[in-house]
Amino acid sequence: MKTIDQLLADGVAGKRVFVRADLNVPLDGTTITDDGRIRAVQPTITALADAGARVIVASHLGRPKGAPDPAFSLAPAAARLGELLGTDVAFATDTVGDSARATVAALGDGRVAVIENLRFNPGETSKDDAERAAFADQLATLADVYVGDGFGAVHRKHASVYDLPARLPHAAGYLIATEVGVLKKLTDEVQRPYAVVLGGAKVSDKLGVIDHLLDKADRILIGGGMAYTFLKAQGHDVGNSLLQEDQVPAVQKYLERAKAQGVEFVLPVDVLVASGFPDLKTKAPANPDTVPADAIPAGQEGLDIGPESRKLYATKLADAATVFWNGPMGVFEHPDYAEGTRALAQALIDSPAFTVVGGGDSAAAVRILGFDENAFGHISTGGGASLEYLEGKTLPGLAALED
């Protein structure tokens, strides 16, 4: 895989460089609530611009239906990128139309432009190879060189991620190089003990990574909504807690396999419960109760790990050399159910381990709860991509960057 440093050494002055970034930032209207993904690609864009390239930044945002939708415009991301770069960033109001062509044509050396949301064109996400290829052909006319740096999208077989690199000389940006290097430390170059912390809502989203990591991890800690399917698999009643009943047999098999292979599974010993899901808009006090994890009352819903579980998890991480965390421990968006996730993040900081926060809600929680991002070994920009890599899957966007 050619690196951006090699590309820069070959010279990019005056060349049109298409940077496939991940500017899929959360928005409250037109206000960006977390600019982490924009900041993550900034070093690549800065290096190219400083070398005299004419930089064309492209990304998706949200899930528009293959047509323009103002709610998913990249205009706020383009404005924020300009603030971070300290320079004007041009913005094209389409992807491959008159505005994109004119905007790119007007770019001077060392200047940057952002084109509109790639998913406004149905060819970007099409499952039809010909339709996707046709859109990639149009994108290719805008540039001379391709740089892949949207790690959060490399697990997607989309036109700008998979098809476009085949049409242009290509290289991996700094972000992708960093992400892949970190993931290798979680798969091929693991320092032990190796602890994996998995949370989030659905156990079905994590079974693939559990299956793969059972051959690599020393212990796996489970929290979040998925914990209740594990507790059910152990024969415990979980009240009205989130439960994927159809996944119980699979979870039981993984628990048995873990025991046979000497991999320690750590489940909550106590949980915070309430009679209903909290109001996340008003953050109204929920007044939860703490109960043993194996004695959740009927009609009650588990919404966070309890204080004894927090202590237990911190102990299980204290001697680790490597930790990967993906998924919150509870409904961290509500202050009454944020302490489990907060304690878990603090335990990672306190641990001497190389700690990796696996993107998605985990990365959002780190920022929302006010932690210093530099206190962690690495915070990934792609939760789904990280998980699929750890499952051992081939990621289309990475395969496309190989020579």
Side-chain angles (χ1 to χ4, degrees):
M1 185 182 293
K2 188 174 184 177
T3 67
I4 188 173
D5 285 333
Q6 292 172 298
L7 181 67
L8 293 170
D10 293 340
V12 294
K15 293 184 178 180
R16 301 169 301 164
V17 181
F18 188 104
V19 177
R20 196 348 175 148
D22 179 8
L23 308 181
N24 185 28
V25 292
L27 295 171
D28 182 1
T30 59
T31 301
I32 296 171
T33 58
D34 181 355
D35 67 356
R37 284 177 169 166
I38 303 176
R39 288 185 285 109
V41 76
Q42 183 183 346
T44 290
I45 295 170
T46 297
L48 289 166
D50 287 349
R54 303 176 183 190
V55 186
I56 304 140
V57 183
S59 176
H60 70 287
L61 192 152
R63 297 179 182 273
K65 305 297 183 180
D69 183 338
F72 297 106
S73 174
L74 278 174
R80 179 57 180 151
L81 177 61
E83 292 173 355
L84 292 169
L85 295 175
T87 187
D88 291 335
V89 169
F91 181 67
T93 56
D94 56 27
T95 56
V96 291
D98 291 342
S99 179
R101 289 193 294 270
T103 300
V104 172
L107 271 181
D109 293 359
R111 308 302 296 177
V112 180
V114 174
I115 63 174
E116 187 55 285
N117 192 335
L118 292 163
R119 291 185 182 176
F120 285 0
N121 189 304
E124 170 67 2
T125 60
S126 177
K127 294 183 179 180
D128 181 88
D129 290 347
E131 184 178 17
R132 219 175 48 246
F135 183 47
D137 286 340
Q138 291 179 295
L139 290 172
T141 65
L142 298 176
D144 305 305
V145 180
Y146 177 94
V147 172
D149 215 28
F151 180 74
V154 294
H155 59 314
R156 305 296 187 191
K157 194 177 182 180
H158 291 170
S160 67
V161 176
Y162 178 75
D163 301 271
L164 183 55
R167 289 157 170 77
L168 296 169
H170 50 264
Y174 290 125
L175 175 60
I176 280 186
T178 297
E179 294 274 11
V180 172
V182 167
L183 288 169
K184 286 183 177 178
K185 292 183 179 180
L186 301 178
T187 52
D188 303 328
E189 306 160 6
V190 180
Q191 298 295 311
R192 299 186 178 280
Y194 180 18
V196 175
V197 186
L198 298 175
K202 295 182 178 180
V203 69
S204 56
D205 293 341
K206 306 290 170 63
L207 287 182
V209 74
I210 290 172
D211 180 71
H212 202 66
L213 288 177
L214 275 175
D215 294 326
K216 298 181 181 295
D218 297 297
R219 63 183 71 118
I220 300 176
L221 288 63
I222 302 294
M226 63 183 286
Y228 303 102
T229 301
F230 275 86
L231 291 168
K232 182 70 172 181
Q234 290 186 327
H236 305 307
D237 291 329
V238 296
N240 286 348
S241 304
L242 184 64
L243 174 65
Q244 289 187 282
E245 189 82 48
D246 62 323
Q247 299 296 327
V248 168
V251 168
Q252 289 173 329
K253 290 181 180 179
Y254 283 122
L255 289 171
E256 292 168 2
R257 181 177 151 198
K259 185 176 181 180
Q261 293 181 203
V263 178
E264 182 182 11
F265 255 100
V266 184
L267 300 180
V269 293
D270 61 345
V271 296
L272 270 61
V273 299
S275 57
F277 198 81
D279 187 329
L280 298 181
K281 290 184 177 180
T282 66
K283 304 291 195 296
N287 300 316
D289 293 323
T290 300
V291 301
D294 59 359
I296 298 174
Q300 296 288 296
E301 181 175 0
L303 296 165
D304 194 12
I305 61 173
E308 293 305 315
S309 299
R310 297 169 209 159
K311 294 177 185 176
L312 173 64
Y313 286 22
T315 299
K316 295 296 182 180
L317 298 175
D319 68 340
T322 304
V323 180
F324 173 74
W325 169 35
N326 181 278
M329 297 294 97
V331 187
F332 73 93
E333 300 91 342
H334 192 286
D336 287 350
Y337 303 105
E339 292 310 307
T341 302
R342 187 189 306 278
L344 192 283
Q346 187 62 54
L348 263 67
I349 292 173
D350 294 341
S351 169
F354 174 66
T355 56
V356 178
V357 181
D361 286 342
S362 306
V366 165
R367 298 183 181 110
I368 289 171
L369 297 177
F371 287 98
D372 179 0
E373 296 178 43
N374 294 321
F376 301 88
H378 178 71
I379 298 180
S380 178
T381 57
S386 294
L387 288 176
E388 290 199 15
Y389 189 101
L390 293 179
E391 286 180 42
K393 293 183 177 180
T394 297
L395 305 188
L398 295 184
L401 293 175
E402 297 290 347
D403 294 327

